Amino acid sequence: MFKKFWWFISYYKKEYILAIVFLALSNIVGLIPPYITGRLTDMIFEDSIELNTFLLILLLNLVVIAIKYFFAMGWSYFTFRAGNEIDYKTRDNLMTKFLRQSLKFFEKHSTGSLMGKSTNDVDSISDLAGIGTLSLFDSTAFPFIIIIMMMVVVDVRLTLAAIVPLPILAYLSIWIGDRILIRWEKVQRAFDKLNTNVLEDIEGVRITRVFNLQRSRQIKFKESGENLLDRNMDVVKYQALLTPVQRIVPAFTFIIGIAYGSVLISKGEISIGQLISFTYYLNMLVWPMHAFGNFINLKQQANASMDRVQDVLFYKEDITENDEAIDAAMNPDIEFRNHSFKYPSSKENVLKDVNIKIEKGKSIGVLGKTGSGKSSFLKQLLHLYPMETESILIDGDTLDKYSISSVRERIGYVPQKHMIFSKSIKDNIKLSKPNADDEEVMKAIRLADFEKDLKTFPKGLDTLCGEQGISLSGGQKQRIAISRAFLKDSNILILDDAMSALDGRTEKNIINNIKKDKEGRTMIISSHRISQVKDLDEIIVLDEGKIVERGSHDELVKKGKWYSKQYKNQSARSQFDEE
C-alpha cells in the first residue's frame, strides 16, 4: 500500500511528521486524566485528601485537558489538510495527464470512466490521506501505548487477560476488508458505466426528445442505477459486518476486565481506583478498535481507487516529443512524402502514400466521397494520434524536429464537430486568443459573417451558449468556430467541412472574406461543396485514402472524372434551387 502512496507521502512528509507528532502528544497527554482519576478515587476512599488538594487535582486535570485540546487542534489541522492536499494534487495530476494525451488514450478510456476516477476515486484516496491516517495511527501505535500504560499503572495480568479478544478483531477486520476490496472495484466500474450513460443522455437530449426516446433511456438509466445499487449493496453487506464485530469484541474486553479486576480487588492485589483507571483505559481502546475497522475499509477502497488512478497516471505517452525540438517557423512550407496513416482502432490505413507539397501562402482544396480520408488528411499536422512523422516535412525537416505545441500554434483549425463551451459567445470566440480586445473579436465575427446574428441574441456577445451550445443553431455554432479560427490569426488555416450547415449566401460571404483576408496565409479547406474550393490554387481528390485527382478547378473539370461530374451535378442543383 505504501508503495502506491509514497509519491504523496514524500510530497507532504513534513506536514505528516508534524501531524503524527501532535497526534502522539495528544494521545500521551490523554493518558494522564485516567491515572489522576484513579489516584483521586483511592485518596477519597482512604479519606486521605483535603479540599485544597482535591481542588488542585481538579485544576491539574483541566490543564491537562486544555493541553490535549491544543495538540488535538494541531493533528486535526495537518491531518485533514493532507486529505485536501492529496485531493487537489491528484486531480491536478490527472488533469495534466488528460491534457497531454493523444486521442488514442481517449479511445481506450471513456469519459464516464475518467470522470469517475477524477471524482469518486480521488475522494477515496483523499479520505485515506486524511481520516485514514488518523485511523492508522490510532489503531496501531496508540493501542500499544495504552496497553503499556495499563500494565504499568494497573496490572500486567489483568491487561493481558482483557486484550485477548483483540487479535480476533484484527483477523475479522482484515478478512472483511479483503472482500470489500474485490467488491469496491466492481462498484467503481458500475459507477463509470452509469456516469457515461448520464453524460451521453445530457449531450444527446435533443435527439432523445426528437425520437421520443425518454422512456427507453430512462429504462437504461434505471438498469445502470440498479446495477450500481447492487454492487454498492454487496459492499455495504460486508461493511455492516464490521459494526457488530467492533461492538461485540470491546464488550468482551470489558466483561473480562471488570470480572478479573473484581477478583484482584477481592484479593487486595489492586485498588478500586486502579480498576477505575483500567476501565477508563479500556474505554480508550474502543476507538482504536473502531479505527482499525475504519482504516481497513478506507484502505481497501483507496487501494482500488489508486489502482484506477495510477492506470491513468502511469499510462505511457502515445506521442513523445524530442527533447531538442525547436519551434516551427511562422509560415512554413509543408510536404507529405509517401505518407500513410492508420487509426489505432483501424485495421487498414485510411491514408495511403499521400504525396503533396503545400508551399507557404498557397491554398489547397480537399474533396472526396464520404470516408475517403479528407478529415484524416487535415488532422495530420495537428499530430493528434501516434503516426510516422518522417513522412511529414516542415520546411524540409521531419515533423518530429519541431515541438508539437509550436506547430499547433501556427494553425487555425475549424473541425467538423464544433465544441461550444457553456460560456458566453464572446468567451467561446476568445478561446483561441484570450487576450484579444473587442475590436479584434468583432473583426473575426465580421469575417465569419456572424455580426448579423448578434442582434437576435438578448445580450449580444455576452449571451450564454448553454451546454454544448444548446441555445444555438448548427450554422451559428459553425460561425463561432470559424470566428475562433480567424481571431487566432494563424499563418495556416484549416477548415474541415466547416460550412456544411450554412446557406449559400452566408457561405459565399465567408469565402469572399477569406479571399480578402488571405494575406499570404496557407489554407487547406475540405468540403463536399465545390463552390468552397474552386478558386483555390490547387485541388486534390481523395478516394480510399489516395490522391486520385489533382490540379486547378479548370484542369479537373476538363479531365471529366469524379470532380467534373460532381461539379456538373452541383451546378445543376444550384440552378434548380435558384429557380
Side-chain angles (χ1 to χ4, degrees):
M1 183 193 78
F2 290 104
K3 289 182 180 179
K4 294 181 184 180
F5 292 90
W6 183 248
W7 65 271
F8 176 72
I9 294 173
S10 60
Y11 163 76
Y12 198 70
K13 60 184 177 183
K14 292 181 180 178
E15 288 80 0
Y16 260 135
I17 291 171
L18 286 172
I20 292 171
V21 168
F22 274 104
L23 183 57
L25 290 173
S26 174
N27 289 336
I28 291 171
V29 171
L31 297 174
I32 298 175
Y35 173 74
I36 294 175
T37 302
R39 291 293 300 144
L40 182 61
T41 303
D42 284 338
M43 292 172 70
I44 292 172
F45 269 93
E46 295 168 3
D47 198 19
S48 61
I49 186 171
E50 296 180 355
L51 179 60
N52 290 338
T53 306
F54 178 77
L55 294 175
L56 184 62
I57 292 173
L58 288 180
L59 179 62
L60 178 61
N61 242 343
L62 291 174
V63 171
V64 171
I65 292 171
I67 294 173
K68 176 178 171 58
Y69 179 76
F70 170 75
F71 288 136
M73 286 178 58
W75 68 251
S76 180
Y77 171 77
F78 288 111
T79 302
F80 290 104
R81 178 178 172 182
N84 289 314
E85 286 276 355
I86 197 171
D87 188 286
Y88 157 73
K89 192 66 180 176
T90 307
R91 284 195 172 97
D92 183 59
N93 288 346
L94 283 172
M95 181 53 68
T96 301
K97 192 73 175 181
F98 295 161
L99 295 174
R100 289 177 178 172
Q101 296 311 306
S102 70
L103 295 186
K104 179 182 177 180
F105 170 85
F106 296 99
E107 288 183 2
K108 293 181 177 179
H109 299 83
S110 68
T111 304
S113 172
L114 297 178
M115 287 294 293
K117 289 167 184 172
S118 302
T119 52
N120 276 12
D121 287 323
V122 173
D123 288 340
S124 296
I125 296 168
S126 174
D127 287 341
L128 181 66
I131 190 67
T133 303
L134 170 64
S135 299
L136 173 63
F137 187 86
D138 276 351
S139 61
T140 53
F142 186 42
F144 286 106
I145 297 172
I146 297 174
I147 291 169
I148 291 170
M149 191 70 175
M150 291 163 69
M151 290 179 175
V152 173
V153 173
V154 186
D155 186 83
V156 174
R157 295 165 299 170
L158 180 58
T159 302
L160 293 176
I163 65 173
V164 166
L166 295 185
I168 299 173
L169 172 64
Y171 171 78
L172 290 175
S173 296
I174 293 172
W175 184 85
I176 294 170
D178 289 341
R179 279 142 188 82
I180 288 174
L181 173 61
I182 296 170
R183 286 154 180 80
W184 185 252
E185 291 173 345
K186 294 179 180 179
V187 167
Q188 298 297 66
R189 289 196 292 271
F191 180 78
D192 289 347
K193 185 176 180 180
L194 179 70
N195 218 4
T196 300
N197 287 342
V198 171
L199 289 170
E200 288 176 349
D201 286 341
I202 292 173
E203 290 180 1
V205 66
R206 285 180 172 175
I207 299 298
T208 300
R209 292 188 174 182
V210 167
F211 288 97
N212 259 338
L213 299 175
Q214 292 95 323
R215 181 60 182 165
S216 62
R217 297 305 299 178
Q218 187 177 8
I219 291 172
K220 188 172 183 180
F221 174 80
K222 185 178 180 181
E223 290 173 353
S224 299
E226 288 176 348
N227 180 47
L228 178 59
L229 175 63
D230 292 340
R231 301 288 77 78
N232 269 316
M233 289 309 299
D234 287 341
V235 173
V236 169
K237 289 173 185 176
Y238 280 91
Q239 288 177 335
L241 290 177
L242 280 174
T243 302
V245 168
Q246 291 169 341
R247 293 182 183 277
I248 293 171
V249 173
F252 278 110
T253 63
F254 274 95
I255 292 171
I256 295 171
I258 294 173
Y260 189 34
S262 299
V263 173
L264 294 177
I265 289 174
S266 67
K267 292 180 178 181
E269 296 182 17
I270 64 171
S271 66
I272 294 175
Q274 285 178 303
L275 183 58
I276 289 175
S277 295
F278 185 82
T279 306
Y280 205 150
Y281 287 129
L282 270 183
N283 192 56
M284 293 176 71
L285 274 176
V286 172
W287 160 244
M289 295 178 193
H290 284 282
F292 185 72
N294 190 39
F295 171 72
I296 291 296
N297 188 19
L298 291 173
K299 179 182 83 73
Q300 299 297 46
Q301 292 183 14
N303 258 338
S305 293
M306 183 56 85
D307 286 339
R308 285 162 48 83
V309 168
Q310 286 181 336
D311 179 52
V312 173
L313 295 181
F314 294 161
Y315 183 89
K316 188 176 180 181
E317 307 290 341
D318 297 310
I319 300 175
T320 56
E321 196 170 88
N322 189 343
D323 293 334
E324 299 177 357
I326 61 175
D327 289 346
M330 292 299 292
N331 196 3
D333 291 334
I334 302 165
E335 183 177 0
F336 291 85
R337 189 178 294 173
N338 296 322
H339 180 68
S340 298
F341 172 73
K342 182 182 77 170
Y343 289 106
S345 57
S346 301
K347 294 182 179 180
E348 299 180 357
N349 289 335
V350 293
L351 294 177
K352 304 168 186 175
D353 298 323
V354 174
N355 285 279
I356 185 171
K357 185 171 184 179
I358 307 171
E359 297 178 355
K360 59 183 176 182
K362 296 295 183 179
S363 55
I364 300 292
V366 184
L367 282 86
K369 302 174 184 177
T370 301
S372 60
K374 300 188 297 299
S375 294
S376 300
F377 173 72
L378 266 60
K379 292 175 183 176
Q380 295 304 289
L381 282 178
L382 297 171
H383 203 170
L384 300 175
Y385 285 96
M387 62 183 186
E388 294 294 329
T389 55
E390 292 81 4
S391 53
I392 299 179
L393 307 179
I394 304 290
D395 278 340
D397 290 309
T398 57
L399 184 62
D400 58 357
K401 180 181 178 180
Y402 302 97
S403 66
I404 297 172
S405 59
S406 72
V407 174
R408 291 174 181 168
E409 190 61 32
R410 306 290 180 258
I411 298 172
Y413 175 63
V414 184
Q416 281 183 322
K417 186 178 180 180
H418 312 291
M419 180 61 201
I420 304 298
F421 295 87
S422 53
K423 299 175 178 288
S424 68
I425 294 173
K426 181 193 287 187
D427 289 337
N428 265 286
I429 294 173
K430 290 179 68 173
L431 282 172
S432 61
K433 190 176 180 181
N435 60 346
D437 56 35
D438 290 345
E439 185 176 339
E440 291 176 295
V441 172
M442 287 307 302
K443 180 183 177 183
I445 287 172
R446 294 187 189 100
L447 288 172
D449 198 31
F450 190 55
E451 187 176 16
K452 59 189 178 185
D453 290 71
L454 294 181
K455 299 175 183 178
T456 65
F457 295 116
K459 295 183 180 180
L461 279 174
D462 295 321
T463 301
L464 292 176
C465 297
E467 192 80 22
Q468 295 286 330
I470 196 169
S471 64
L472 305 172
S473 68
Q476 289 168 339
K477 291 179 185 178
Q478 284 193 334
R479 279 174 289 163
I480 287 176
I482 294 171
S483 301
R484 192 185 289 165
F486 279 135
L487 181 63
K488 191 176 181 181
D489 198 26
S490 302
N491 303 110
I492 302 171
L493 180 64
I494 298 178
L495 304 181
D496 186 3
D497 201 14
M499 292 176 274
S500 58
L502 304 181
D503 61 83
R505 183 179 295 278
T506 302
E507 174 193 299
K508 187 175 181 180
N509 291 338
I510 294 174
I511 292 172
N512 290 335
N513 292 336
I514 289 175
K515 291 177 184 176
K516 294 176 183 176
D517 196 60
K518 191 170 182 294
E519 296 179 0
R521 182 186 285 123
T522 301
M523 291 194 301
I524 307 174
I525 301 176
S526 165
S527 177
H528 288 285
R529 297 178 187 171
I530 291 177
S531 58
Q532 295 179 17
V533 301
K534 67 185 186 70
D535 294 324
L536 302 184
D537 297 321
E538 185 177 8
I539 300 168
I540 62 172
V541 177
L542 292 174
D543 186 25
E544 295 184 351
K546 296 180 179 179
I547 298 178
V548 293
E549 294 184 64
R550 65 192 310 167
S552 66
H553 171 72
D554 293 336
E555 290 171 346
L556 292 176
V557 170
K558 289 178 182 177
K559 288 181 179 180
K561 295 183 179 180
W562 183 88
Y563 181 92
S564 178
K565 293 176 182 178
Q566 285 295 111
Y567 177 63
K568 291 176 181 177
N569 289 337
Q570 291 184 17
S571 296
R573 191 180 303 121
S574 175
Q575 291 176 0
F576 178 78
D577 291 339
E578 288 177 1
E579 292 175 2

